[in-house]
Amino acid sequence: MCFPRPQASPPCLGALEPDIVSCLGPSSLIALGLGVTLVDLRGCAWVGLPGYNGGVPGRGRKMPLVVLCGLPGSGKSRRAEELRGALSGEERPVHVVAEAVGGRAALRAEVERRLSRRDVVIVDAGNELKSFRYELYCVTKHAGTPHCLLHCAGGAPHPSAGPFETPDSRNRWDRPLFTVHGQEPLPLAEIRGALFESRPPPPNQSTRSQPLQSAGFLHQLDRVTQEVLAAVLAAQRSGAQPGELIQVAGASEGLVLNRPLGMAELSRLRRQFISYTKMHPSEENLPQLANMFLQYLSRSIQ
């Protein structure tokens, strides 16, 4: 067997096709095919090998994510078990991740922990907010894995729950979109095709880890988000009521609170926003940081 000439840039070893290449631990020794001599690939990229993706993390074969959404009583858990039975195989474990204590942050963390090259992950939760469905979409883009959305129609809203934002296939985070009503059978052939026969969208600059480009950008990001938090807390101390618009100096956007927000929750949302924004440290966003953060807060507290 003739191998192509090694090039200088080191590959991301975990991104190669698992049935062609097996990682053997810290020595970075790779087994290429059957009966082929082990080759030390440290410091070289084997361009042209089946499954080689140009060194882009997360672009090899990965197992997909299925996101369920719907109102209480729409049959999400029943559909999740149907999918578990239909998608599982001897070499393809299926995990169902359900809502638990800790809310959306805990749910997202469990999804990130479960996503792997071997396992299918099904999210059995209401996922009623398009902002959270977008977060899960970003997780799959960053991991380089396909995903689809299964909307279980029907059910009834819970009195204490927020509004359900119906998925729209025109939104990239809501597609491929499959909708089922009542006892209608699942479109399993179409779901399998979306999960196992389509390529995941390539990671872009907003989901791929980027080197930090500007210390000035990070300083501005920290300062602006601190100022927004201070303004929101000061308005609440001054007697701002739910439904009242809170204005922030230097921002054209405002924030309408539907409930009181404490320092702990605001600080958590600030950390999340900073984490997302640092993935794409563009100087062009500097004038809009306050507005972007206010929009993020507004979506997150619905």
Side-chain angles (χ1 to χ4, degrees):
M1 178 181 292
C2 295
F3 295 109
R5 182 183 300 276
Q7 296 182 354
S9 57
C12 173
L13 300 179
L16 303 180
E17 291 283 349
D19 55 347
I20 301 295
V21 178
S22 304
C23 293
L24 300 181
S27 62
S28 298
L29 292 178
I30 306 299
L32 301 177
L34 296 175
V36 180
T37 305
L38 294 177
V39 181
D40 189 349
L41 290 182
R42 270 185 301 235
C44 63
W46 292 89
V47 179
L49 286 175
Y52 178 66
N53 59 31
V56 179
R59 290 286 299 278
R61 181 183 303 165
K62 292 218 177 183
M63 288 294 103
L65 176 73
V66 183
V67 178
L68 274 68
C69 69
L71 293 169
S74 59
K76 296 185 296 296
S77 295
R78 175 172 58 85
R79 297 299 192 176
E81 290 304 317
E82 282 186 58
L83 282 171
R84 188 209 295 265
L87 300 179
S88 60
E90 186 175 329
E91 298 183 357
R92 192 168 63 206
V94 177
H95 302 284
V96 175
V97 178
E99 290 178 297
V101 177
R104 298 188 185 98
L107 183 65
R108 174 186 164 134
E110 182 66 7
V111 168
E112 290 180 310
R113 187 178 74 85
R114 290 285 188 180
L115 277 179
S116 71
R117 294 188 174 279
R118 296 184 61 251
D119 302 357
V120 177
V121 179
I122 300 172
V123 184
D124 176 15
N127 298 316
E128 63 276 359
L129 297 181
K130 61 183 179 183
S131 59
F132 185 65
R133 297 197 297 268
Y134 177 73
E135 287 186 38
L136 294 177
Y137 168 77
C138 289
V139 169
T140 62
K141 287 203 73 174
H142 187 67
T145 184
H147 100 298
C148 74
L149 183 67
L150 178 63
H151 175 208
C152 299
H158 193 278
S160 63
F164 178 76
E165 297 178 334
T166 304
D168 185 344
S169 61
R170 291 174 296 182
N171 299 325
R172 61 189 183 279
W173 57 87
D174 282 341
R175 63 175 186 256
L177 172 63
F178 304 97
T179 301
V180 290
H181 301 78
Q183 301 299 317
E184 180 182 356
L186 290 173
L188 291 174
E190 290 82 358
I191 290 175
R192 286 194 185 97
L195 297 178
F196 303 122
E197 298 172 14
S198 62
R199 294 178 62 85
N204 52 28
Q205 288 186 332
S206 64
T207 54
R208 187 183 302 156
S209 296
Q210 296 286 323
L212 299 181
Q213 298 173 354
S214 168
F217 178 88
L218 297 181
H219 174 76
Q220 185 85 340
L221 177 63
D222 181 76
R223 182 184 64 80
V224 169
T225 52
Q226 285 280 22
E227 290 175 353
V228 170
L229 254 62
V232 173
L233 291 170
Q236 291 184 103
R237 287 195 297 269
S238 300
Q241 299 298 315
E244 184 177 338
L245 179 67
I246 296 177
Q247 297 284 359
V248 176
S252 59
E253 299 275 343
L255 178 65
V256 177
L257 298 181
N258 55 11
R259 56 182 174 81
L261 294 176
M263 184 64 182
E265 182 177 6
L266 285 169
S267 296
R268 176 179 59 81
L269 293 172
R270 175 177 174 268
R271 288 193 300 269
Q272 291 177 354
F273 177 78
I274 288 176
S275 176
Y276 300 149
T277 309
K278 281 165 62 177
M279 293 180 182
H280 189 190
S282 170
E283 303 290 340
E284 297 176 358
N285 290 336
L286 283 175
Q288 296 299 321
L289 282 177
N291 288 333
M292 291 165 60
F293 185 36
L294 286 166
Q295 292 169 4
Y296 180 82
L297 289 176
S298 180
R299 290 196 304 268
S300 299
I301 65 176
Q302 289 180 358

